[in-house]
Amino acid sequence: MVLQYVMMAAKEELYTKVTPRRQRQNRSGTVKHGSSLDVLLSMGFPKTRALKALVSTGGKNVQAACDWLFSHVDDPFLDDPLPREYVLYLRPSGPLLHQLSTFWQQSRVTCGKNKAHNIFPHITLCQFFMCADGKVEALSEALQATVGSWRGRFPNPLPLELYTSSNFIGLFVEEQVAEVLKDFAADFATEAATKADVHVEPHKKQLHVTLAYHFQTNHLAALEKLAKGVDVSLGCDWLAVLFSRDIRFANHETLRVMYPYVPQNEDELELAPGDFIFMTPVEQGSASEGWVFGTSLGTGLPGLLPENYVRRADECDTWVFHGNPASPSNTGGAVGGLLFDGQLDGSFLDDPGDPSSLTVLCPPVQMLRPTTQSCLPKRSLFVCRHGERMDVVFGKHWITQCFDAKGRYVRSNLNMPSSLPTRSGGFRDYDKDCPITVFGSTQARLVGEALLESQAVIDFVYCSPSLRCVQTAHNILRGLQQEGKTKIRIEPGLFEWTKWVSGTSLPAWIPPTDMAAASLSVDTTYRPHIPISKLGVSESYDAYISRSFQVTREILTECKNLGNTVLIVAHASSLEACTRQMQGLSPQNAKDFVQVVRKIPYLGFCAAEEMGETGVWQLVDPPILPLTHGPNHSFNWRETLQQD
């Protein structure tokens, strides 16, 4: 904290010493990149660091470069001259991009994520190549010069043909036209060698837009059917785009930070939501008790971090876009943009906007852009685990300790609720359907209060029939000050994997009418999507995952146009089972699934948002902080203090 304060003070002092100066311009009046470098040098930054900051932020502006430098002040590789890797793509825009967007969305929902989803739609024009930081501006100018000399010489529209195989689906460029594109790439390679002294190897294989690859064999027919729906005859702006990545992490797994974490020990890494973590396959596979080792993109620092605070990201999420503001034909230039903020995580599903904001190779044909954009609020889904349960804290025999021979309940510990609902089947039914503790109720209320503070409004609450879940949902509503205003819809389809239920029968849950009679905010008129009669004991893993996906999808469909925020209160397994396939991802295997579930604490909370009105959802940062509650053993003063 002291270091952060000192750095901020130093940052402000440096800014006060900078005298505004006239920016250097070229003949077209466009600001040259060098002016940003001059400002950074005048602030006292070494040239190598200043160049690295500008390149790492896509030459965005001085502010972005300064922010990068101050966040990387302890980066052990800050002064390492290692160059970045670059690649040149053709990226579609306009109506064709909308067609590809539809395919991407439908394929993820239908068949789950495959390798093609790791990078936005593109045609590869060259292999990855290295360029020193000091030559990046010249490299961008080489691209601009090449585009200027080729403008108007491209076939229009670009002819694409669908090709499928057992593990690949793509749109291939017609051979003669592909040779034209390869000539363009060769000219860029020549310009790059002349202007930037950089060796670029043009792509020699067949040019294509990859639609899907490395998918399950049984998904081929469905993916091929969706691919045939892509209308390649629609108009398209093809944009020449230059991206870079940190060569140190080229073969690393990229993970996105979902929750903040403050280090408790010197070897731990501070986590900020939105940052990315790089991790080798060896590091990821050597997780010990939920902790892994990785390196932060935001700070460059390595360290240990809790594994359940991150999730897998796409390959291109950390790439940096590079562009030179100069444009040969006055159509505007490429505007650099840092992808560290996650702009490309699904952003390729939207039209990039004005084609003049990037280097346009082909003029638009039949530009069918929507004239208006939807201003509807995003739909949100919250999934939450129940609170601390009685049988875990006090053991399986808590019932015999708290109920007398006549079935009357008397608590024996302050963490036990003062009263319990009466069960028509007798108190023995609590054996499989336990309540939450007093602390469990407090945990739930804290979550509700945090949601209220974040100004979240819950439109619908759906809940597993387990008493511990209903009580949790009720107390969340209390914290939200929505108790009595929002009713809990009890949905048996949200119950956990029945394989985990002991014995040969399901729990005898309390009917909604009895719960309402016990002053729980339950909707007694709700008709569930999956009734109790459809649940069976010892269901397969696939059946549980399918059930969870089905009921979540039906719940969201039921609430569409009636409210924007749905809260599901269920079990630890629900956070994974109710959200994974909604993101278009394939289910994990049972072993990995169990490992994820083990890491989810009481009141574990996740959030997802719908991407437009696509039916595809993505996990986002929850509106509340995580809740940590350490176990506290029962204290008996006689046994501990009164010793002979």
Side-chain angles (χ1 to χ4, degrees):
M1 197 68 184
V2 174
L3 175 62
Q4 183 180 8
Y5 175 81
V6 171
M7 293 306 302
M8 289 301 296
K11 182 177 180 180
E12 292 178 2
E13 182 180 356
L14 281 171
Y15 275 126
T16 60
K17 293 181 179 179
V18 177
T19 302
R21 56 198 304 268
R22 186 175 180 180
Q23 294 178 314
R24 182 158 50 97
Q25 299 182 334
N26 60 11
R27 291 180 180 178
S28 65
T30 306
V31 178
K32 293 289 287 180
H33 176 74
S35 61
S36 296
L37 177 61
D38 293 341
V39 172
L40 292 173
L41 294 178
S42 70
M43 295 172 71
F45 292 112
K47 186 175 182 179
T48 54
R49 291 191 178 187
L51 282 171
K52 178 169 287 193
L54 288 169
V55 170
S56 298
T57 55
K60 195 172 182 180
N61 51 46
V62 173
Q63 178 70 57
C66 285
D67 291 343
W68 188 93
L69 283 165
F70 281 105
S71 65
H72 284 75
V73 65
D74 294 319
D75 185 345
F77 292 93
L78 183 59
D79 296 311
D80 193 322
L82 192 66
R84 295 175 67 87
E85 278 192 323
Y86 292 77
V87 69
L88 180 65
Y89 287 153
L90 282 186
R91 182 177 174 186
S93 172
L96 179 58
L97 179 61
H98 288 292
Q99 291 280 312
L100 295 173
S101 301
T102 300
F103 172 83
W104 242 260
Q105 296 155 5
Q106 293 176 341
S107 64
R108 288 185 70 148
V109 171
T110 305
C111 304
K113 184 177 178 180
N114 62 68
K115 289 289 186 179
H117 292 111
N118 285 333
I119 304 177
F120 46 84
H122 67 279
I123 296 175
T124 303
L125 292 183
C126 70
Q127 307 297 326
F128 273 95
F129 61 92
M130 290 186 290
C131 178
D133 293 344
K135 300 178 179 180
V136 173
E137 183 178 10
L139 181 67
S140 296
E141 291 175 349
L143 176 57
Q144 291 289 331
T146 307
V147 170
S149 65
W150 272 81
R151 193 176 303 279
R153 295 166 56 186
F154 281 83
N156 191 2
L158 204 65
L160 300 170
E161 183 178 356
L162 180 65
Y163 170 83
T164 64
S165 68
S166 59
N167 63 359
F168 176 89
I169 299 177
L171 299 173
F172 278 75
V173 182
E174 191 271 330
E175 187 172 351
Q176 289 186 342
V177 177
E179 292 303 316
V180 176
L181 297 184
K182 290 179 180 179
D183 288 342
F184 167 80
D187 282 2
F188 167 68
T190 301
E191 288 283 350
T194 302
K195 286 184 165 57
D197 191 24
V198 171
H199 175 70
V200 177
E201 186 70 30
H203 196 65
K204 293 184 172 60
K205 297 181 180 179
Q206 291 179 291
L207 302 186
H208 62 274
V209 178
T210 301
L211 296 182
Y213 77 103
H214 280 200
F215 48 81
Q216 298 179 25
T217 305
N218 61 329
H219 290 160
L220 175 60
L223 290 171
E224 186 175 19
K225 181 179 179 180
L226 292 173
K228 289 179 179 178
V230 177
D231 186 354
V232 297
S233 66
L234 292 178
C236 177
D237 297 342
W238 286 96
L239 315 171
V241 288
L242 193 65
F243 290 93
S244 75
R245 65 185 184 186
D246 192 323
I247 192 174
R248 292 175 297 156
F249 308 115
N251 297 315
H252 286 51
E253 192 76 46
T254 304
L255 304 171
R256 183 189 298 275
V257 176
M258 302 304 299
Y259 309 105
Y261 177 75
V262 178
Q264 306 298 312
N265 299 288
E266 291 185 358
D267 58 352
E268 294 175 3
L269 191 61
E270 183 173 2
L271 300 182
D275 191 7
F276 291 88
I277 301 297
F278 295 113
M279 192 177 301
T280 67
V282 174
E283 290 170 343
Q284 193 168 21
S286 60
S288 176
E289 296 182 351
W291 290 82
V292 293
F293 190 87
T295 302
S296 164
L297 172 68
T299 64
L301 294 173
L304 292 169
L305 61 138
E307 187 181 19
N308 59 335
Y309 277 50
V310 295
R311 73 173 176 89
R312 184 171 298 177
D314 291 337
E315 182 179 344
C316 66
D317 283 353
T318 59
W319 291 2
V320 174
F321 169 60
H322 298 266
N324 190 319
S327 178
S329 59
N330 297 322
T331 60
V335 181
L338 179 62
L339 301 186
F340 168 78
D341 292 327
Q343 288 123 309
L344 269 183
D345 184 22
S347 70
F348 62 82
L349 301 177
D350 300 313
D351 194 310
D354 184 357
S356 66
S357 66
L358 293 174
T359 307
V360 181
L361 289 181
C362 299
V365 178
Q366 295 179 322
M367 293 306 293
L368 304 178
R369 302 178 189 276
T371 56
T372 60
Q373 293 182 344
S374 172
C375 296
L376 294 175
K378 289 185 178 180
R379 299 176 67 207
S380 298
L381 169 67
F382 300 150
V383 185
C384 182
R385 187 191 177 190
H386 58 76
E388 182 182 79
R389 49 190 290 175
M390 285 273 284
D391 55 356
V392 171
V393 176
F394 298 106
K396 293 292 183 180
H397 302 293
W398 73 272
I399 296 177
T400 59
Q401 299 172 9
C402 296
F403 287 93
D404 61 21
K406 295 183 179 181
R408 291 174 298 194
Y409 170 76
V410 179
R411 66 174 179 175
S412 59
N413 188 284
L414 287 177
N415 196 24
M416 292 179 174
S418 58
S419 62
L420 291 177
T422 302
R423 308 188 75 123
S424 58
F427 68 89
R428 287 292 177 184
D429 285 345
Y430 278 115
D431 185 43
K432 287 188 177 181
D433 187 30
C434 71
I436 58 176
T437 63
V438 173
F439 283 149
S441 298
T442 303
Q443 291 170 325
R445 193 182 70 253
L446 286 173
V447 167
E449 291 172 352
L451 288 170
L452 178 65
E453 186 176 343
S454 72
Q455 299 183 337
V457 176
I458 305 299
D459 298 302
F460 297 97
V461 178
Y462 289 81
C463 190
S464 162
S466 295
L467 177 60
R468 58 188 180 274
C469 298
V470 178
Q471 290 177 319
T472 300
H474 176 81
N475 282 282
I476 290 176
L477 289 173
R478 285 182 61 193
L480 268 165
Q481 298 180 13
Q482 290 183 226
E483 181 184 4
K485 301 176 184 178
T486 304
K487 297 291 186 179
I488 302 166
R489 296 178 172 182
I490 298 179
E491 176 54 62
L494 293 172
F495 184 59
E496 64 185 348
W497 188 6
T498 62
K499 178 183 176 181
W500 291 335
V501 177
S502 60
T504 58
S505 63
L506 295 173
W509 292 299
I510 302 176
T513 51
D514 291 355
M515 288 191 177
S519 300
L520 293 170
S521 302
V522 171
D523 184 351
T524 58
T525 65
Y526 174 69
R527 298 182 62 180
H529 293 276
I530 299 179
I532 294 175
S533 60
K534 296 295 184 181
L535 298 181
V537 295
S538 300
E539 68 183 333
S540 67
Y541 171 68
D542 290 341
Y544 168 65
I545 292 298
S546 177
R547 163 166 65 87
S548 299
F549 179 40
Q550 174 193 338
V551 74
T552 305
R553 186 168 50 184
E554 291 180 3
I555 285 172
L556 293 172
T557 300
E558 179 178 53
C559 298
K560 190 171 185 179
N561 300 324
L562 299 175
N564 293 316
T565 307
V566 174
L567 169 65
I568 289 177
V569 180
H571 307 271
S573 57
S574 304
L575 275 71
E576 172 79 2
C578 292
T579 63
R580 186 173 180 84
Q581 287 175 277
M582 294 302 299
Q583 302 171 71
L585 304 176
S586 299
Q588 300 196 73
N589 60 54
K591 182 179 178 181
D592 291 341
F593 172 78
V594 171
Q595 292 303 313
V596 170
V597 173
R598 289 176 55 194
K599 300 170 186 175
I600 298 174
Y602 293 128
L603 271 300
F605 193 100
C606 72
E609 286 184 352
E610 186 179 22
M611 298 167 61
E613 295 189 25
T614 64
V616 178
W617 296 66
Q618 61 180 353
L619 288 178
V620 296
D621 292 330
I624 62 173
L625 296 172
L627 173 66
T628 302
H629 171 224
N632 183 32
H633 296 293
S634 178
F635 171 68
N636 187 313
W637 68 272
R638 292 181 183 275
E639 295 179 0
T640 307
L641 304 178
Q642 193 176 51
Q643 299 178 0
D644 295 334

